[in-house]
Amino acid sequence: MGSQVDPAFRVVTPNRSGFFVWRIEDMKPVQVPKDRIGQFYKGDSYILLSLTAFGQSPRGLNVQMKEVKGQRLEQNIHFWLGSKTSQDEAGAAAYKTVELDDFLGGAPVQHREVEGHESELFLSYFPKGLKTIEGGHKSGFNHVDNTFQIRLYQVKGKRNPRISQVDISWESMNHGDAYILDLGKVLFVWVGQESSRKENFKSLEHARSLRDERPGGIVVAVEDGEEEKMTADEKKLFEQHLPLNEKSQVKATDAVACDNVFERKSAENMKLFSCREEDGNLTIKEVKTGPLSRKDMTSDDSFIIDCGPEHIWVWIGKQATKSERAEAMRNAVGFIQKKGYPTDTPVTRVVDGGEPSDFKCLFPDWPQPPPPGKVYSRSRIAKTVQTKFDASTLHNNNTALAAESQMFDDGTGKVEVWQVQDFDLVEVDKHTYGDFYAGDSYVIKYTYKVNGRDQYLIYYWQGSKSTADERGTSALKAVEMDDAVGGAATQIRVVQNKEPPHFMAMFGGKMVIFSGGKAGWQKGDKDMGPGDKYMLQVRGTSELNCKAVQVDLSATSLNSNDVFVVFTKSAVCIWAGKGSTGDEREYGKNIASRSPRTPEMVFEGQEKESFWNILGGKQPYASDKRLQDDESAHPPRLYQISNASGRIRAEQIQDFVQDDLVPEDVMLLDVWDALYLWIGSGSNKKERDSAETVALEYLSTDPAGRDKDTPIIKVKQGLEPPTFTGFFGVWDRDLWSKGKTYEELKRELGAQAVQGSLVQEAINGNDQDFNEVPKYPYSQLIVATDELPSGVNPENREIHLSSDEFKQVFKCSYEEFSKKPAWKQQHIKKGLQLF
């Protein structure tokens, strides 16, 4: 760790988790007391440091302070710039961030945060919401500020809402957010017609916490469009600050920015730039346009990854110069200006060897080792299902195994299969269950029991040669079948050759995919079916992942690493390549059992001439040693997905848990081998109907170059299978039913009505502190009510005079004036045009 560091940073202890916040005051960092963390002044700049063990949760304010042994800390430094901070303070924050980074050995990830455009990671540090208020160090506001000032707060954001002070006027408001009008003893919560459940709930929670700090306070909930339902006293007080005849100034939801989303940029549109110091000058050169490879970056340089206005990344090589390291963020900001990107474009600096998962995901060839405590997508499935798979535990105490193996159960439930024909479904003969044709599409209903209750899966399998009409019909019929069971099913789209393990397990190791279409074969067109002679290639090591696929009846189709079964009218042969396993040979026999004839084993290198004759003669075939797949783990990623603007937008949820699944949203869980679409019970019809289209767009825009045929699984709120819940750690089935609803919390807080005496008290000043409220000249306080400065109560104008001007106008001090009887105060104020 560096030795030259500001004394304020000495509170950081090596190898110990923690969360620290400093405010820049007179160009120096000053630590913010813990009880004030989460409140930011718009006129200031801040530095935040988060130190956690990898996989540790929670972070931020709720982090557990403890020593971390045997592993490297996950270190994130953020410098936050208020909208009204000075350039000098912003520069000091950036400079001191570099100093703190050096103190920590240069390993932290650095983030530049701009007020109103904070990253999801930054917002996640503040579970009660990020609060921004007017003022700053230079204006005299400090962290030990317990005095009251009338304020209007905007509550915005679907998951970790921002609570921001705005001007007290209808013009500052919109129908898509919630607001708190804080009048001291009375707090009005105004809920926009299109505000989210989380915003509504968070606004009430924050109002309650403010009320609890002030004995005798009251919270009044007001619905957008129902203001007339307030009592006469409530309405009188409310209109002192927000006259209802001016409500037309409220903006439409569409007129304001979307809540915390970024536009995904396809791999082809990303750009890589090198940054190199030459003769004391920094040179930036474009290296390539995406897709990007990990090998494109070398440790002796620094690089900028340009993802457009949604994100700029700076990567610092291990051998980069000290100047390149120190100037990285400043250079990135200059790059943003040169490109003409918005000033709030997110910037993140990472170092060679300490790259976070979000960065690695930009590169298709960058493996990601799983951090401790997380469940990852399907790797080593064969080993999993053979050595520790017990279906009876999946829905109870082993949902993590369900998520890893992607098994709902062991596949022994009730299976029903239909084939798509002429825009309808035709039931398939049970004796041919497991037989699929590439020219057709199918719908499979699977029924199994959990704790004695029926659960349903509806797969729709689409052959690679099936028509668009057949694929569309399969999807439509799956929806109809789901509706028939009351919407209780999980829908799963499966594309040929991308079958998940549970799908294959339903057919007990006997799944076969034939070329052509069964419908044409039944009509007498033999080219459409398997024919009298055909060959199947066998893949898999157990009943849970085994299938056979028809290949050309030719020696060129053989592969030394696999097992093939050849069927003729008079014989069945099992050809076993030298690289095949004993399990594959056993399942070759299982596939061969579909014929009544006894199969003949044929080992590679021991074939008879008669065997080659069946294949049309001996020819060269693939015989290289099996390449070991690099099954690098891909961390599961949760997104809120939207394409409301016509372009796909996604908000990633950091360190997600079950509570991040918002009932009014459609969420996407990407586990690499599959995409889960979680349908919240309160999501709108447009989002539900377009969910699958959005998922396909998500795949096509993934920088990692995803397979467009990745299985897509629809999961409904309250009916989540263990293959889904296992990715969330502890899962509470009663989460959405046992907590207070917005309506319940509103009733609880609204049990006490606003009385006339409290209204009068609020009008008379709400115990405002004369020394803490904004000051204005006498000439600005004797104007008409609608011309008064924002936040000035027309009935309490005098407290906004400076101490000297108050004495000049009133001929006494404010302290002396406040001791006079109320009737006399009013009489004096009327004579001075201040009432």
Side-chain angles (χ1 to χ4, degrees), residues 526-717:
K526 298 223 172 171
D527 289 337
M528 297 296 291
D532 294 334
K533 295 192 299 182
Y534 58 93
M535 182 164 66
L536 303 177
Q537 183 175 14
V538 180
R539 287 283 180 88
T541 56
S542 78
E543 292 183 356
L544 304 179
N545 64 5
C546 181
K547 68 178 176 182
V549 180
Q550 185 177 355
V551 294
D552 289 341
L553 189 63
S554 168
T556 57
S557 299
L558 298 176
N559 188 309
S560 294
N561 300 309
D562 292 323
V563 169
F564 294 77
V565 183
V566 181
F567 294 85
T568 71
K569 285 185 176 181
S570 57
V572 177
C573 301
I574 300 174
W575 184 87
K578 292 178 179 179
S580 63
T581 67
D583 289 332
E584 287 172 329
R585 292 192 287 274
E586 284 303 310
Y587 282 95
K589 294 177 183 178
N590 199 16
I591 294 295
S593 67
R594 64 188 295 114
S595 169
R597 299 174 181 82
T598 302
E600 175 188 356
M601 286 298 304
V602 178
F603 293 95
E604 184 178 10
Q606 301 177 22
E607 303 89 349
K608 298 178 181 178
E609 191 65 27
S610 57
F611 174 79
W612 295 119
N613 289 337
I614 295 174
L615 301 185
K618 187 175 182 178
Q619 298 182 65
Y621 56 85
S623 57
D624 292 338
K625 185 177 181 181
R626 182 194 299 268
L627 296 175
Q628 299 298 318
D629 290 334
D630 180 14
E631 290 191 287
S632 58
H634 294 272
R637 300 157 73 84
L638 182 68
Y639 295 90
Q640 187 271 334
I641 296 292
S642 170
N643 68 342
S645 65
R647 295 175 298 179
I648 187 166
R649 290 181 175 272
E651 174 196 351
Q652 185 180 355
I653 312 304
Q654 298 285 339
D655 296 325
F656 63 83
V657 293
Q658 182 185 358
D659 193 47
D660 289 313
L661 297 170
V662 179
E664 63 206 24
D665 283 342
V666 172
M667 314 287 292
L668 185 148
L669 177 66
D670 180 3
V671 299
W672 190 258
D673 292 343
L675 295 184
Y676 284 90
L677 286 170
W678 183 86
I679 312 298
S681 59
S683 58
N684 62 53
K685 186 176 185 300
K686 180 179 179 181
E687 289 176 334
R688 294 194 299 271
D689 291 347
S690 63
E692 186 173 322
T693 300
V694 172
L696 290 170
E697 265 191 87
Y698 169 87
L699 287 172
S700 67
T701 58
D702 193 328
R706 301 290 290 280
D707 189 329
K708 62 181 178 60
D709 292 334
T710 298
I712 297 173
I713 304 170
K714 290 182 183 177
V715 174
K716 299 181 185 67
Q717 180 185 344

Side-chain angles (χ1 to χ4, degrees), residues 53 86 94 98 110 173 274 309 529 690 702 759 801:
S86 69
V98 174
Q110 289 184 28
M173 302 165 70
S274 67
S690 63
D702 193 328
V759 171
L801 289 168

Side-chain angles (χ1 to χ4, degrees), residues 747-791:
R747 285 195 296 270
E748 178 185 300
L749 294 177
Q752 183 180 1
V754 175
Q755 303 298 324
S757 59
L758 192 57
V759 171
Q760 194 59 47
E761 181 181 345
I763 291 175
N764 287 340
N766 289 293
D767 299 326
Q768 288 178 293
D769 192 310
F770 176 82
N771 296 315
E772 294 296 336
V773 298
K775 302 300 181 181
Y776 301 101
Y778 176 65
S779 59
Q780 291 185 24
L781 296 172
I782 59 174
V783 297
T785 300
D786 58 356
E787 296 178 5
L788 283 170
S790 176

